[in-house]
């Protein structure tokens, strides 16, 4: 592609990125493409999945009245052909083609040449981009590659534009009962019916949702006060800088003040408020509009003013948010939605009031999801097309088993899901009997089930559900709930609670595992490739003072209880463990001296998360007392697939043959060196994989408290001999989906249908 074309492409993409609605994006796209390629027609058809039709969404060249009205069935016409084949169709005489469909509304019969390119997003056809010319002539290869490149860029933009939505869509959603469905990835199972409440980060203009003003005059007053405060702030800044900057350099302040003139930005914002928007949303829209205009300017000086506009917008927003907390009160059926929700933001809320969580970003094994699962909150993540900002207070159903979200669901669907909820309650009641039973197979094999903890609620539920110990205490969770690193004494008290609730039972405490998706609000680690970066033990070894205060607090907390085990996360090399052992010994001696008591030396284990460890079990076995598999990370690193990236969620599977075979061999190695091995990743809490892990010979399985009863039931109903046979069979399979279906088939045919998530299909 020539430099000129690349430049045109960049401009089109930039312009589209800056647009405020999907409709506007598509309009820009067809106009700019027609102009750049000098063609008679450029049109975009988007796939309406529900009706299985391609709808003409925008066109330059076809009759304007056909836009929004003309549609084709998925298999119909040349557009349908492009979609079906998922490849380019380039014709010099389209009307002659057998698939040509004459649509009188568009007036297209006079166009002879046709070039159609599929718009693909995550392997799915989202739509078709078509250019047409009167002249009968093949489009060139350069034209093809221009459109292919454009469509690849645009597919994400279309998905995102969909996701961000705008106030018009918002009105449509709120004022009518437009029923829509969205697909994401299941994070934590369950079903919820309720109303959406948007969780958005403060002082982030882009994240401000569209919301209707409750009281227009209140919003106008709020805006006046905020604008006045910003004016005062800027004047003060101007004065402060008088000695350090010359007047030219301070010109920016007067630009700001002019923008804040009653007739400038505030007038536009007020107009939107008078039309029904709340002040924060109106500020976002007006600032966005001006940013778009500025970014298109040729003049460098003006383009650079974009940053100033953003700054101004943020200043106004900060005052508005100060005046109003921004978050609506949660009620019992609140469905929390957001682009991304952090663990810290989640646990700050009254979690017992959250009926479900839905995010447009994120993937199934992120930290937030693990916590949500522990709390038993149905969660769907990676709903990339969810128009988050437009869904405030909208009625929703979340089917977290299937990863589906229904917006403004019809009455019959609501009824159907209410029935399913009742069935769910019945299943939960049935599972209650397993609270007091042991996990013993019908042929007498015992599997100790441990609980994963982090919050106190996990401990309470773990005890109630008969956990035989804590297999993984995620010590970073209490760190996430604070606004600074907790001190040694503060930590001691937290750890003591964990240890004493499980007195006489083993409690495996993992040292701080931060980095990657586990950010502390007060210690953000920003890295390009964070999953492979400064995380877990790599971080704590670089900060021995943080590591030591944690170890000392754990040792002190264990005095008299003697049930502490210490687990090291993200171990890669033997030398790291040697270093830790030195620090541990030093702290152990020191704490005993200080406290004047004898402290039982904790058993030390490492997590098997990095594949390098799999190949050095013999050497690690010389140094440590036990191993614990972190299958979430091990799967991520073995398959080279980001556990938090929804785009590759289909590649991430703990049923992948290489994961299963690696674990099987690992258990054999640990046996050889006489070291206990447990597993504490999410795989242990999935009944389907749990029976395989039992057959492999894991000494204990540790899982979220919300999965204990299901796994216990599965074990109580699966003879060990059956599990061994299943294991032998799946170890010979080469496809994760086949492995999963095989296990599901076994469960369904052995009275364990309720253990198989997908069996609860409703629609
Ligand atoms: C794991 O990686 O499987 C694990 C248990 O640790 P975390 O999910 O906290 O990274
Ligand atoms: Mg891990």
């Amino acid at each position: 592609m020539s430099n000129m074309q690349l430049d045109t492409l960049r401009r089109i993409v930039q312009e589209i990125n800056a647009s405020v609605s999907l409709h506007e994006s598509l309009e820009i796209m067809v106009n700019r493409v027609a102009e750049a390629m000098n063609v008679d027609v450029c049109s975009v058809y988007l796939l309406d999945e529900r009706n299985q039709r391609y709808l003409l969404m925008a066109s330059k060249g076809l009759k304007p009245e056909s836009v929004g009205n003309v549609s084709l069935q998925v298999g119909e016409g040349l557009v349908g052909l492009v979609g079906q084949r998922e490849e380019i169709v380039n014709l010099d005489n389209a009307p002659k083609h057998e698939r040509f469909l004459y649509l009188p509304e568009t007036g297209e019969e006079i166009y002879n040449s046709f070039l159609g390119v599929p718009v693909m997003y995550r392997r799915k056809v989202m739509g078709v981009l078509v250019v047409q010319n009167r002249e009968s002539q093949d489009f060139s290869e350069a034209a093809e590659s221009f459109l292919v490149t454009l469509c690849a860029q645009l597919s994400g933009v279309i998905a995102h534009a969909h996701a961000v939505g705008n106030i018009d869509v918002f009105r449509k959603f709120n004022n009518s009962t437009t029923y829509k469905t969205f697909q994401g990835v299941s994070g934590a199972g369950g079903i919820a019916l309720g109303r959406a409440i948007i969780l958005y980060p403060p002082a982030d203009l882009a994240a401000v949702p569209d919301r209707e003003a409750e009281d227009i005059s209140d919003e106008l007053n709020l805006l006046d006060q905020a604008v006045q405060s910003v004016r005062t702030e800027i004047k003060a800044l101007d004065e402060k800088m008088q000695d350090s900057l010359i007047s030219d350099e301070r010109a920016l302040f007067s630009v700001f003040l002019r923008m804040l003139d009653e007739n400038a930005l505030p007038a536009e914002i007020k107009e939107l408020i008078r039309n029904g928007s709340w002040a924060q949303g109106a500020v976002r829209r007006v600032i966005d509009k001006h940013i778009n205009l500025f970014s298109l300017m040729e003049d460098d000086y003006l383009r650079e003013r974009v940053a100033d506009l953003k700054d101004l917008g943020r200043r106004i927003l900060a005052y508005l948010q100060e005046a109003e907390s921004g978050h609506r009160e949660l009620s019992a059926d609140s469905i929390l939605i957001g682009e991304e929700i952090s663990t810290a933001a989640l646990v700050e809320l009254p979690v017992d009031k959250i009926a479900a969580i839905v995010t447009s970003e994120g993937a199934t094994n992120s930290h937030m999801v693990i916590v949500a699962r522990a709390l038993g909150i149905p969660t769907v993540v990676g709903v990339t097309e969810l128009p988050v900002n437009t869904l405030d207070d909208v009625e929703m159903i979340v089917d977290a088993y299937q990863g589906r979200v229904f917006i403004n669901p019809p009455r019959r669907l609501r009824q159907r899901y209410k029935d399913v909820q009742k069935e769910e309650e019945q299943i939960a009641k049935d599972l209650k009997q397993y609270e007091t039973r042991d996990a013993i197979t019908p042929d007498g094999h015992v599997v100790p089930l441990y609980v994963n903890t982090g919050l106190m609620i996990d401990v309470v539920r773990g005890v109630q559900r008969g956990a035989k110990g804590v297999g993984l205490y995620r010590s970073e969770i209490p760190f996430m709930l604070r606004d600074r690193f907790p001190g040694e004494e503060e930590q001691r008290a937290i750890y003591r609670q964990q240890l004493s609730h499980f007195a006489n039972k083993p409690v495996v405490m993992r040292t701080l595992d931060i980095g990657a998706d586990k950010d502390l609000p007060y210690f953000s680690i920003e890295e390009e490739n964070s999953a492979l970066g400064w995380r877990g033990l790599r971080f704590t070894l670089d900060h021995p003072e943080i590591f030591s205060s944690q170890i000392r607090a754990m040792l002190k907390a264990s005095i008299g209880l003697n049930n502490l085990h210490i687990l090291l996360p993200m171990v890669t090399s033997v030398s790291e463990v040697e270093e830790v052992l030195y620090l541990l010994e030093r702290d152990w001696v020191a704490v005993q001296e200080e406290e004047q008591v004898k402290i039982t030396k904790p058993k030390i284990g490492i997590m098997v998360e990095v594949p390098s460890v799999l190949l050095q079990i013999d050497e690690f076995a010389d140094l440590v007392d036990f191993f614990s598999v972190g299958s979430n990370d091990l799967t991520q690193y073995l398959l080279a697939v980001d556990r938090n990236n929804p785009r590759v969620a289909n590649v991430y599977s703990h049923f992948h043959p290489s994961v299963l075979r690696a674990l099987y061999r690992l258990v054999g190695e640990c046996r050889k060196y006489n070291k206990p091995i447990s597993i504490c990743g999410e795989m242990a809490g999935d009944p389907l994989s749990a029976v395989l892990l039992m057959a492999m010979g894991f000494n204990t399985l540790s899982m979220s408290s919300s999965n204990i009863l299901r796994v216990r039931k599965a074990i109580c109903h699966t003879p060990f001999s059956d599990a061994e046979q299943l294991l032998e069979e799946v170890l010979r399979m080469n496809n994760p989906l086949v492995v999963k279906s095989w296990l599901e088939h076994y469960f369904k045919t052995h009275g364990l249908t309720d253990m198989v998530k997908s069996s609860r299909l409703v629609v």
Side-chain angles (χ1 to χ4, degrees):
M1 207 174 294
S2 72
N3 277 350
M4 210 177 79
Q5 275 179 320
L6 274 178
D7 203 46
T8 314
L9 195 70
R10 187 184 54 77
R11 272 176 178 284
I12 298 178
V13 172
Q14 218 176 28
E15 224 184 309
I16 286 168
N17 264 325
S19 64
V20 291
S21 70
L22 176 63
H23 187 69
E24 194 182 312
S25 308
L26 299 178
E27 279 295 312
I28 294 172
M29 183 157 99
V30 293
N31 283 303
R32 298 291 178 271
V33 170
E35 206 177 297
M37 293 181 70
N38 198 15
V39 289
D40 299 321
V41 176
C42 175
S43 317
V44 180
Y45 297 79
L46 287 195
L47 179 62
D48 170 359
E49 267 194 292
R50 246 168 73 74
N51 296 313
Q52 286 296 294
R53 298 186 75 86
Y54 286 105
L55 179 65
L56 178 64
M57 294 289 291
S59 177
K60 166 86 178 132
L62 295 184
K63 286 186 181 162
E65 55 273 28
S66 60
V67 173
N69 291 316
V70 165
S71 69
L72 297 123
Q73 265 179 14
V74 278
E76 246 177 11
L78 292 171
V79 169
L81 183 69
V82 175
Q84 260 172 345
R85 288 207 193 147
E86 299 183 1
E87 59 186 31
I88 298 172
V89 171
N90 187 350
L91 303 170
D92 62 348
N93 196 340
K96 278 239 171 88
H97 194 280
E98 53 175 16
R99 289 286 295 265
F100 178 78
L101 189 74
Y102 172 58
L103 296 168
E105 308 91 304
T106 65
E108 73 176 332
E109 83 276 22
I110 44 171
Y111 301 109
N112 287 310
S113 47
F114 172 102
L115 174 59
V117 179
V119 182
M120 307 282 300
Y121 185 71
R122 297 220 232 147
R123 296 193 195 173
K124 262 174 51 186
V125 179
M126 295 191 74
V128 176
L129 180 70
V130 174
V131 292
Q132 293 169 284
N133 258 335
R134 280 191 189 82
E135 216 175 289
S136 176
Q137 197 176 48
D138 266 351
F139 283 96
S140 68
E141 230 178 83
E144 281 188 10
S145 65
F146 178 75
L147 283 194
V148 167
T149 318
L150 191 64
C151 285
Q153 298 267 353
L154 289 178
S155 62
V157 177
I158 293 172
H160 185 71
H162 250 312
V164 174
N166 66 14
I167 202 153
D168 303 320
V169 178
F170 155 67
R171 287 199 189 291
K172 240 188 265 158
F173 270 110
N174 269 328
N175 294 350
S176 70
T177 45
T178 315
Y179 166 47
K180 286 215 160 204
T181 71
F182 295 94
Q183 186 68 49
V185 187
S186 167
I191 281 166
L193 290 91
R195 286 193 172 271
I197 186 155
I198 304 173
L199 191 68
Y200 58 97
D204 177 357
L205 209 53
V208 170
D210 286 324
R211 188 180 283 176
E212 283 200 82
E214 274 170 27
D215 182 326
I216 291 182
S217 66
D218 275 0
E219 294 297 311
L220 288 170
N221 282 340
L222 282 174
L223 180 77
D224 277 337
Q225 282 162 22
V227 168
Q228 190 46 43
S229 307
V230 177
R231 275 198 204 112
T232 315
E233 189 179 289
I234 289 169
K235 280 185 193 147
L237 263 178
D238 188 26
E239 255 169 47
K240 195 171 132 205
M241 291 296 164
Q242 256 171 16
D243 295 336
S244 13
L245 299 178
I246 56 166
S247 69
D248 263 9
E249 290 163 345
R250 283 188 285 115
L252 172 64
F253 298 127
S254 39
V255 172
F256 268 14
L257 289 174
R258 274 205 303 280
M259 287 183 189
L260 290 175
D261 259 1
E262 196 47 42
N263 300 327
L265 291 180
E268 290 181 51
I269 301 171
K270 282 182 179 172
E271 194 185 327
L272 292 184
I273 299 179
R274 287 195 195 96
N275 284 335
S277 171
W278 70 323
Q280 298 189 27
V283 171
R284 191 204 75 220
R285 296 196 72 209
V286 169
I287 297 286
D288 272 357
K289 188 180 113 193
H290 286 274
I291 289 175
N292 291 347
L293 294 175
F294 275 39
S295 12
L296 294 177
M297 306 224 174
E298 298 290 341
D299 185 316
D300 283 348
Y301 174 80
L302 286 176
R303 257 190 287 138
E304 276 161 27
R305 297 283 70 80
V306 165
D308 300 331
L309 257 171
K310 280 190 187 156
D311 183 50
L312 198 59
R314 262 196 301 268
R315 284 172 196 266
I316 304 175
L317 184 67
Y319 281 107
L320 287 174
Q321 290 184 335
E322 210 177 87
E324 201 214 313
S325 79
H327 298 319
R328 220 186 274 276
E329 286 273 301
L330 294 192
S331 61
D333 68 346
S334 292
I335 295 174
L336 206 60
I337 67 171
E339 288 193 9
E340 210 164 11
I341 294 176
S342 70
T343 313
L346 171 63
V347 293
E348 246 170 27
L349 298 166
V351 285
D352 52 325
K353 284 204 178 146
I354 303 173
I357 299 171
V358 179
T359 64
S360 55
E361 306 274 321
T364 176
N365 275 319
S366 74
H367 215 248
M368 182 281 285
V369 172
I370 288 171
V371 172
R373 207 172 292 156
L375 295 167
I377 305 174
T379 302
V380 178
V381 293
V383 195
T384 35
E385 284 159 48
L386 192 75
V388 173
N389 290 356
T390 66
L391 296 180
D392 199 37
D393 208 30
V394 166
E395 198 169 344
M396 296 173 77
I397 294 176
V398 178
D399 177 345
Y401 292 113
Q402 298 185 76
R404 292 185 75 169
V405 177
F406 304 88
I407 308 294
N408 285 319
R411 195 182 54 78
R412 288 179 67 143
L413 190 68
R414 286 203 306 270
Q415 194 47 50
R416 181 71 193 98
Y417 268 103
K418 277 191 185 145
D419 293 345
V420 177
Q421 253 185 340
K422 275 203 198 113
E423 281 167 36
E424 284 275 290
E425 283 161 19
Q426 193 49 47
I427 291 173
K429 250 195 218 153
D430 164 57
L431 282 176
K432 241 182 140 38
Q433 58 175 297
Y434 292 92
E435 281 185 353
T436 48
R437 285 175 62 171
D438 281 331
I440 306 178
T441 62
D443 47 357
H445 186 87
V446 183
V447 189
L449 302 187
Y450 283 32
V451 66
N452 291 349
T453 65
L455 300 167
M456 215 32 223
I457 191 163
D458 305 323
V459 176
V460 174
R461 290 198 179 149
V463 171
Q464 185 196 352
R465 292 170 190 174
K468 300 288 181 209
V470 174
L472 170 68
Y473 168 58
R474 290 187 165 96
S475 69
E476 59 278 4
I477 292 187
F479 278 67
M480 284 175 180
L481 307 186
R482 284 166 175 70
D483 51 11
R484 64 194 153 72
F485 281 104
E488 191 178 306
E489 176 49 28
E490 206 177 339
Q491 288 185 57
R492 190 202 61 79
I494 303 169
Y495 302 153
R496 182 80 185 175
Q497 273 190 329
Q498 294 276 332
L499 293 168
S500 56
H501 273 79
F502 279 90
N504 303 321
K505 297 195 177 90
V507 174
V508 180
M509 297 198 138
R510 177 170 77 182
T511 60
L512 198 60
D513 185 18
I514 57 166
D517 71 319
K518 301 172 198 171
D519 244 354
L520 298 179
Y522 47 91
F523 193 92
S524 163
I525 302 172
E526 285 192 14
E527 289 179 313
E528 195 131 295
N529 211 341
S530 62
L532 304 182
W534 202 39
R535 55 168 302 198
L537 202 57
R538 300 170 187 180
F539 167 81
T540 40
L541 282 177
D542 285 348
H543 277 282
E545 76 292 4
I546 294 175
F547 188 68
S548 244
S549 83
Q550 191 173 39
I551 295 299
R552 289 168 53 87
M554 285 180 182
L555 289 169
K556 286 185 182 172
S558 77
I559 293 174
L561 291 168
N562 309 328
N563 56 348
L564 169 67
H565 294 52
I566 291 178
L567 180 63
L568 309 172
M570 268 300 282
V571 172
T572 314
S573 307
V574 166
S575 61
E576 294 165 337
V577 178
E578 285 169 342
E579 217 177 310
V580 168
L581 291 180
Y582 165 77
L583 296 173
L584 278 171
E585 183 72 20
R586 188 192 65 181
D587 291 334
W588 181 62
V589 171
V591 173
Q592 291 186 98
E593 248 173 46
E594 283 167 34
E595 300 289 314
Q596 289 293 307
V597 285
K598 190 147 175 39
I599 299 177
T600 308
K601 206 174 200 174
K603 293 216 181 315
I604 310 296
I606 61 165
M607 292 199 75
V608 184
E609 296 183 294
V610 182
S612 65
V613 173
L614 294 171
L615 305 173
Q616 281 186 284
I617 290 296
D618 51 343
E619 283 146 310
F620 284 110
D622 276 346
L623 297 172
V624 299
D625 304 303
F626 66 96
F627 293 92
S628 180
V629 175
S631 54
N632 306 337
D633 278 316
L634 186 62
T635 306
Q636 149 162 278
Y637 297 126
L638 262 183
L639 306 184
V641 54
D642 181 348
R643 67 193 250 190
N644 292 312
N645 183 345
R647 284 207 188 93
V648 285
N650 58 332
V651 188
Y652 184 97
S653 169
H654 54 239
F655 294 113
H656 194 288
S658 71
V659 175
L660 296 176
R661 290 173 205 175
L663 294 181
Y664 179 66
R665 285 170 205 171
L666 171 67
V667 175
E669 283 277 287
C670 291
R671 284 238 176 96
K672 192 158 119 196
Y673 298 101
N674 230 350
K675 295 287 170 184
I677 171 127
S678 81
I679 176 160
C680 58
E682 297 306 304
M683 192 177 177
D686 174 354
L688 293 177
S689 39
V691 296
L692 293 181
L693 298 169
M694 163 179 90
M696 287 183 194
F698 276 91
N699 298 88
T700 53
L701 308 182
S702 190
M703 64 207 70
S704 149
S705 60
S706 52
N707 288 331
I708 291 185
L709 299 183
R710 285 156 49 81
V711 170
R712 193 174 289 143
K713 179 174 176 186
I715 289 173
C716 286
H717 291 272
T718 309
F720 191 69
S721 52
D722 280 14
E724 281 186 312
Q725 175 158 0
L726 279 170
L727 176 64
E728 201 191 306
E729 286 158 353
V730 301
L731 282 175
R732 279 189 264 120
M733 295 175 181
N734 63 7
N735 180 324
L737 293 176
V738 178
V739 170
K740 189 160 177 251
S741 316
W742 189 250
L743 295 167
E744 282 176 352
H745 176 73
Y746 175 87
F747 271 50
K748 284 182 189 165
T749 50
H750 288 76
L752 292 166
T753 308
D754 55 329
M755 305 274 100
V756 181
K757 290 182 194 168
S758 55
S759 67
R760 276 181 235 142
L761 292 184
V762 177
V763 284

